Amino acid sequence: EMSYHFYYRDFWKVESTLLTVLLILRRLKREGVTLSAMLAPLRKYFASGEQNYAVNDPAAVVARIRAHYAASASVLREDDGLRAEFPNWWFSVRASNTEPLVRLNVEADSKEELVRRTKELSDLL
């Protein structure tokens, strides 16, 4: 979860970053490993991190990106902005709720694919 929102079914379906930290610390102590060792198996992909772009019309930008990728995406979701998935990469783009920005995240199987797709998307922004 890149934005650090974790929801727990058994915790009244409430978001709790503090509970997440406590659970991670408990696991680290129980297993006697470092945080980097625990996370190493999860680092399978290359991620852009959240990139912010100032745009005049966020809705138009998201619509343009949707139109560009709709036919080629294996999964296209619009739960919170736009998320498109492909065999070896995915992206999400959404308008910020608090600032006049569009937020972009890209993840890919390789560094080269990540760089290529991030540039491709930023050119559409």
Side-chain angles (χ1 to χ4, degrees):
E1 167 58 59
M2 296 180 112
S3 58
Y4 305 108
H5 296 285
F6 299 90
Y7 296 85
Y8 294 91
R9 179 182 54 242
D10 298 333
F11 192 59
W12 305 282
K13 297 180 183 172
V14 171
E15 184 271 337
S16 178
T17 303
L18 180 58
L19 178 58
T20 302
V21 170
L22 292 172
L23 290 170
I24 289 170
L25 290 173
R26 182 176 74 180
R27 183 172 173 194
L28 290 173
K29 182 178 180 186
R30 188 181 317 153
E31 295 179 14
V33 298
T34 64
L35 181 60
S36 60
M38 187 173 85
L39 295 176
L42 303 175
R43 297 185 187 269
K44 299 188 245 179
Y45 306 105
F46 294 85
S48 66
E50 187 171 84
Q51 298 179 4
N52 298 306
Y53 297 85
V55 297
N56 291 328
D57 187 350
V61 167
V62 173
R64 181 169 57 244
I65 291 172
R66 180 187 314 109
H68 184 83
Y69 291 102
S72 60
S74 55
V75 174
L76 197 64
R77 292 190 352 223
E78 297 185 63
D79 303 339
D80 180 22
L82 175 68
R83 178 182 170 104
E85 298 178 14
F86 306 87
N88 61 339
W89 71 288
W90 68 266
F91 75 87
S92 67
V93 62
R94 67 176 187 83
S96 169
N97 293 322
T98 58
E99 301 174 272
L101 302 171
V102 169
R103 303 192 189 283
L104 172 68
N105 284 285
V106 184
E107 196 169 281
D109 288 350
S110 70
K111 178 87 170 172
E112 296 77 21
E113 187 75 7
L114 174 69
V115 170
R116 184 167 76 88
R117 297 304 185 167
T118 303
K119 175 159 182 3
E120 182 179 283
L121 281 154
S122 65
D123 289 347
L124 289 169
L125 293 167

